[in-house]
Amino acid sequence: MIVAGFGFRASATEDSLCNALALTAVASVDAIATPTDKAQNNALQAFAKTHNLPVLEIDTSAMQTVETQTQSVKVREKRGTGSVAEACALAALNNAALTTPRVVSADRLATCAIAQGEPK
């Protein structure tokens, strides 16, 4: 299973999320993962509907137990992880491996990372 993890600001648009996913250069994903408190965001829900993808909600404690490849000081202070996108992608799966580290959308409002593993 391939999961795209997303982190994004409240002002991110569906285009922000599309651009971030496109920058990963992955052909397709099976689901998207994001923090529970962002899962109902209008832009994310529109993105999920457009791409016909389920949204996997990742709680803060699960994100904080995952070691991320990239590190953002701001994100570490606010979320307790180095990368929301990477942590969500990895925490959504069993035996997960990061295949694409965090990339940042052109408008700098969204991040995306790709992980592959077994469904939970």
Side-chain angles (χ1 to χ4, degrees), residues 5 16 19-20 24 36 48 50-51 62 64 67 77 84-85 87 100-101 106 108 120:
S16 304
N19 178 248
T24 68
T36 300
T50 297
H51 292 84
Q64 293 173 343
E67 187 64 35
E77 290 171 357
V84 169
T100 305
R108 312 227 18 104
K120 284 198 169 185

Side-chain angles (χ1 to χ4, degrees), residues 13-103:
T13 64
E14 185 177 355
D15 286 342
S16 304
L17 299 166
C18 286
N19 178 248
L21 180 61
L23 290 172
T24 68
V26 69
S28 67
V29 298
D30 301 306
I32 56 178
T34 200
T36 300
D37 65 313
K38 300 253 184 185
Q40 297 308 313
N41 174 278
N42 290 338
L44 182 78
Q45 287 297 315
F47 174 83
K49 185 176 180 178
T50 297
H51 292 84
N52 196 30
L53 293 169
V55 176
L56 307 175
E57 297 183 24
I58 308 300
D59 65 40
T60 300
S61 61
M63 286 184 354
Q64 293 173 343
T65 63
V66 177
E67 187 64 35
T68 61
Q69 185 174 329
T70 65
Q71 300 290 317
S72 165
V73 173
K74 277 185 174 180
V75 172
R76 171 78 52 202
E77 290 171 357
K78 190 171 188 172
R79 293 282 189 168
T81 184
S83 166
V84 169
E86 292 177 10
C88 285
L90 291 165
L93 298 163
N94 288 322
N95 300 315
L98 195 64
T99 59
T100 305
R102 170 186 61 161
V103 296

